[in-house]
Amino acid sequence: MDPILIHLIKIVGVVGVLLFICAYIVLAERRICAFIQDRLGPNRVGIPLWIRKDGSAIQIGARWALGQPIIDALKAIFKEDFVPGHVNKFYFWLGPMLVMAPALMVWAAIPFGSTLCGVPMIIADVNVGILLVFALASLGVYGIVLGGWASNSKYPFLGGIRGSAQLISYELCLGLSVIPLFMQVGSLRLTEVVRWQTEHLWLVCYPWNWLPAIIYVASSFAETNRAPFDLPEAEQELAGGYNTEYSSMKFAMFFLAEYANMITASALMVVLFLGGWHLPFVPVSGGIAVGVAHICIFLAKVCALALVFIWVRWTVPRVRYDQLMGLGWKVFLPLALAGVLITGLAIVAGWSPS
Amino acid sequence: MKIERKPLTLWERLYLPAIISGMMLTFSHLFRKKVTLRYPEEKPEMPPGYRGQPVLVKDDEGRVKCVACQLCEFVCPPRAIRIKPMAYPENAKYKKVEKTPEEFEIDMIRCIFCGYCEEVCPERAIFLRGPYSVTGLSRKDMVFNKEKLLELGGTLPDPIKKWRKK
Ligand code: SF4
Ligand code: SF4
């Protein structure tokens, strides 16, 4: 087959699956937060199969609200798209796009499976994989800052400022916390990282990687603006934060981007620490069945981690702004550096295989 | 007031144990019994004495307690009540009561649920109780007539049998 066609199929597939998971992770979040608070959450809208004459519908999965994402999307589309008079129109429009695009673009460099029919299951296997991913992921902050600034009102503005400060601080810890991994693997290529983990243990199994793993997890909470670090959109203080002035589909873009970012962060975590598509006792290479199984394993791990993100959000209260900054600069940064040092010692001592 | 703040121990300052125990707690909540009622299918039980919409009641002999004195009609601030009194027929059991409402309508759109009618009623015939969801598809639907008010009210036995001795 034409390689361009193969790439197109992969791109469409990845974006499609990603958006699908996004839509349903929103539903999962609403259900799980309800359950954690002893409520039921959405439990009415199923996927309609047939509308009867009297207007009632035959639907499946109504108890689990499987149709809720469809309804939510329709609602977002048909709502009035109100643009306040005092905004800077161009940047106001640009904000949501800039926030959504990087979240999708990052997936170009994430290996989501081994090979299927001889085709590697990654869109672009670049040799600077993780650098590309971080570079793209940090572009997302421009959307937030632009959205906050262009709204031309104080709460979104504060949200945007917080967002930028937070992302810059935690970008550092994020970057430093993965350095130990690449010291062990010896390559920045993400497929290489996964291959290393299939040959040895998963990176999270080595004790000297625990500290980086914890820092990585916490920093990616901050990177994706999720609780306990959801300061840019702190509803109680900022009336919604950077997206206060947005409505309709533009708001939905911000909203979806948050979840897309969350899934991207969990995918990266899976690739870097949890062995990517590898699972013990599943053959590393084989026919179509194995290739599909690898993709499923990867998606399952990503979804499981995304659920952990949700779980944490509804457990831990939001930190204060100074606590956030203190944690980032005074605790995580030195600890991440210490992690690099410890891993270096482990490699010198010959404990780390490679 | 001065609040003593104990310095945190190292264990507490690590935060992770606290976060993990918190996550265990929220996890256990996933499986607890939910407090939500699925409203239209499951209706909440209202406690006795719940102050809902105004309804008419009957006594334990099945007599409509209202004697059509029209005090409630008079006191009702938004004039939600319309009463058309009639005399008891000559041979009726409760002839001595003299009057009874032929029509008794409360416009639930006008009613502000102030409870003055209940307060003013000399016969303890009208009460704010029971039903909490007052719905209708048209303005006409929302004017509750005597039958409907009596049905919603039901019987409310009264220890004082005022009309028995007379
Ligand atoms: S509750 Fe108040 S407003 Fe309603 S009928 Fe009685 S007196 Fe009128
Ligand atoms: S005050 Fe009581 S008795 Fe008099 S008309 Fe109203 S409900 Fe009937």
Side-chain angles (χ1 to χ4, degrees):
Chain A
M1 249 204 299
D2 192 2
I4 295 186
L5 192 65
I6 294 177
H7 267 95
L8 274 182
I9 293 174
K10 277 197 282 193
I11 291 171
V12 171
V14 165
V15 172
V17 170
L18 186 61
L19 289 181
F20 178 82
I21 296 180
C22 267
Y24 276 90
I25 217 80
V26 175
L27 173 65
E29 164 126 49
R30 290 176 65 186
R31 281 300 285 204
I32 290 176
C33 86
F35 272 43
I36 283 177
Q37 298 167 349
D38 291 344
R39 294 183 290 116
L40 282 173
N43 60 356
R44 296 281 150 159
V45 193
I47 295 170
L49 296 179
W50 181 257
I51 313 277
R52 290 197 205 94
K53 279 237 173 57
D54 60 351
S56 62
I58 303 175
Q59 42 182 10
I60 49 170
R63 239 192 122 74
W64 291 95
L66 290 186
Q68 194 75 34
I70 308 171
I71 295 292
D72 284 348
L74 281 180
K75 186 196 84 171
I77 290 168
F78 287 117
K79 250 186 167 174
E80 184 190 356
D81 189 3
F82 183 74
V83 180
H86 53 72
V87 302
N88 183 327
K89 294 262 170 11
F90 178 68
Y91 293 115
F92 193 74
W93 276 83
L94 200 59
M97 296 179 204
L98 261 189
V99 121
M100 193 71 194
L104 297 180
M105 263 148 64
V106 168
W107 277 81
I110 294 180
F112 51 88
S114 52
T115 51
L116 195 62
C117 308
V119 182
M121 283 293 107
I122 175 169
I123 294 173
D125 191 7
V126 284
N127 56 2
V128 288
I130 190 69
L131 297 183
L132 181 73
V133 166
F134 280 171
L136 286 178
S138 52
L139 277 184
V141 72
Y142 282 102
I144 291 181
V145 173
L146 274 185
W149 177 76
S151 297
N152 197 7
S153 88
K154 57 190 168 208
Y155 288 133
F157 184 60
L158 278 175
I161 288 184
R162 282 184 178 189
S164 52
Q166 173 175 336
L167 261 84
I168 290 167
S169 320
Y170 277 83
E171 196 84 347
L172 215 61
C173 310
L174 205 64
L176 275 178
S177 66
V178 293
I179 287 180
L181 307 186
F182 297 102
M183 285 161 66
Q184 290 159 70
V185 175
S187 167
L188 291 176
R189 211 183 269 270
L190 288 177
T191 42
E192 200 61 26
V193 177
V194 179
R195 195 193 52 76
W196 192 91
Q197 293 183 83
T198 57
E199 284 166 10
H200 309 100
L201 291 173
W202 294 357
L203 276 163
V204 79
C205 300
Y206 301 103
W208 51 87
N209 284 340
W210 290 349
L211 186 63
I214 290 171
I215 294 173
Y216 185 86
V217 173
S219 307
S220 46
F221 278 117
E223 279 285 299
T224 52
N225 298 326
R226 294 282 302 183
F229 306 119
D230 56 346
L231 286 141
E233 49 186 307
E235 300 93 348
Q236 296 88 344
E237 308 149 32
L238 296 185
Y242 56 88
N243 53 23
T244 306
E245 304 285 352
Y246 284 88
S247 55
S248 171
M249 208 52 209
K250 292 215 237 6
F251 173 79
M253 291 273 267
F254 273 126
F255 191 71
L256 269 188
E258 182 191 331
Y259 287 90
N261 274 324
M262 183 176 115
I263 292 167
T264 310
S266 20
L268 265 182
M269 215 151 9
V270 167
V271 169
L272 292 177
F273 290 98
L274 299 175
W277 41 261
H278 175 252
L279 197 70
F281 312 116
V282 176
V284 176
S285 59
I288 293 180
V290 175
V292 173
H294 283 161
I295 295 179
C296 293
I297 290 168
F298 179 76
L299 286 182
K301 284 186 192 174
V302 170
C303 290
L305 263 183
L307 292 184
V308 172
F309 266 70
I310 294 172
W311 181 14
V312 168
R313 173 169 180 187
W314 295 98
T315 302
V316 188
R318 182 182 306 130
V319 298
R320 227 168 40 215
Y321 190 64
D322 60 319
Q323 290 171 333
L324 174 92
M325 283 298 159
L327 190 67
W329 290 101
K330 291 196 211 139
V331 180
F332 281 171
L333 193 60
L335 279 184
L337 284 172
V340 175
L341 196 70
I342 294 169
T343 313
L345 289 178
I347 292 173
V348 170
W351 295 331
S352 166
S354 56
Chain B
M1 200 171 90
K2 211 165 168 210
I3 296 170
E4 288 294 323
R5 289 193 193 279
K6 278 200 219 105
L8 299 178
T9 61
L10 181 66
W11 182 251
E12 284 166 332
R13 270 192 295 144
L14 274 179
Y15 287 115
L16 278 181
I19 288 175
I20 288 168
S21 74
M23 285 176 73
M24 286 299 130
L25 181 72
T26 44
F27 190 72
S28 76
H29 271 272
L30 284 179
F31 307 104
R32 291 203 191 161
K33 198 173 155 352
K34 307 296 170 227
V35 292
T36 312
L37 287 178
R38 296 154 179 274
Y39 170 61
E41 293 101 41
E42 297 172 8
K43 301 253 160 82
E45 271 300 306
M46 285 303 156
Y50 174 76
R51 188 177 179 287
Q53 68 180 93
V55 290
L56 290 176
V57 295
K58 292 180 179 175
D59 70 3
D60 34 5
E61 293 168 17
R63 180 183 62 90
V64 178
K65 287 173 80 179
C66 173
V67 296
C69 71
Q70 289 172 291
L71 275 176
C72 55
E73 186 177 12
F74 185 75
V75 79
C76 176
R79 312 222 165 164
I81 303 180
R82 279 278 164 280
I83 301 171
K84 191 173 163 209
M86 75 172 184
Y88 265 109
E90 209 45 58
N91 49 359
K93 186 179 171 199
Y94 297 107
K95 177 74 187 81
K96 56 195 170 191
V97 180
E98 291 181 8
K99 268 188 355 178
T100 186
E102 186 185 349
E103 299 277 340
F104 195 114
E105 289 177 351
I106 303 183
D107 186 343
M108 290 299 171
I109 296 180
R110 306 202 71 165
C111 173
I112 54 172
F113 308 99
C114 63
Y116 283 5
C117 47
E118 174 178 342
E119 233 171 272
V120 81
C121 180
E123 294 291 323
R124 305 229 256 166
I126 189 166
F127 282 90
L128 269 67
R129 60 191 299 223
Y132 50 85
S133 85
V134 189
T135 54
L137 292 177
S138 63
R139 282 172 186 275
K140 236 169 135 196
D141 273 2
M142 294 297 284
V143 180
F144 286 20
N145 61 11
K146 190 173 95 176
E147 284 68 44
K148 185 146 187 198
L149 290 170
L150 281 168
E151 185 198 314
L152 290 174
T155 40
L156 192 73
D158 198 336
I160 303 163
K161 302 276 189 290
K162 170 170 171 185
W163 294 102
R164 188 164 284 168
K165 292 184 208 94
K166 286 191 185 141

